[in-house]
Amino acid sequence: MATTARPITPTTLDANELADFLTEQAMPLRALFHSGNPDTATGSQLVHDGVFALVRALRAGDIAPVVAQVRLIGINRTAVRYWVRTITAHRAA
């Protein structure tokens, strides 16, 4: 299955704002760590840990917000595979 590259719309958030926004979205996943469904438990841990790795890198200044957006694509593919919520880099309008 080939995927078509889509352009990424850069986020208007700076690194610290994006880190805070990602944290807001990922914190509820902690409640699913001990889910009775093993796929949900595993997926929530993988997505949570992936997002918090991005948060640490953003706050340290190691990566730019647009790089974090690209890495979120991979994290969201994992989320979809385990039926866990996806994480966005854009606030709702």
Side-chain angles (χ1 to χ4, degrees):
M1 167 193 274
T3 59
T4 304
R6 294 183 306 175
I8 295 175
T9 304
T11 182
T12 58
L13 303 174
D14 67 21
N16 286 324
E17 291 171 337
L18 181 57
D20 291 341
F21 184 56
L22 294 175
T23 300
E24 289 173 19
Q25 295 178 78
M27 285 307 290
L29 293 174
R30 292 184 63 82
L32 300 174
F33 281 9
H34 302 291
S35 171
N37 181 333
D39 284 342
T40 300
T42 301
S44 64
Q45 290 171 3
L46 290 172
V47 172
H48 178 274
D49 293 349
V51 169
F52 275 93
L54 288 179
V55 168
R56 282 191 299 275
L58 283 165
R59 290 199 171 130
D62 293 339
I63 61 174
V66 71
V67 174
Q69 283 183 265
V70 172
R71 292 187 182 174
L72 270 176
I73 294 169
I75 292 170
N76 284 333
R77 285 184 179 158
T78 301
V80 168
R81 188 176 307 125
Y82 286 101
W83 296 90
V84 179
R85 70 172 290 179
T86 57
I87 308 295
T88 65
H90 299 280
R91 292 198 183 272

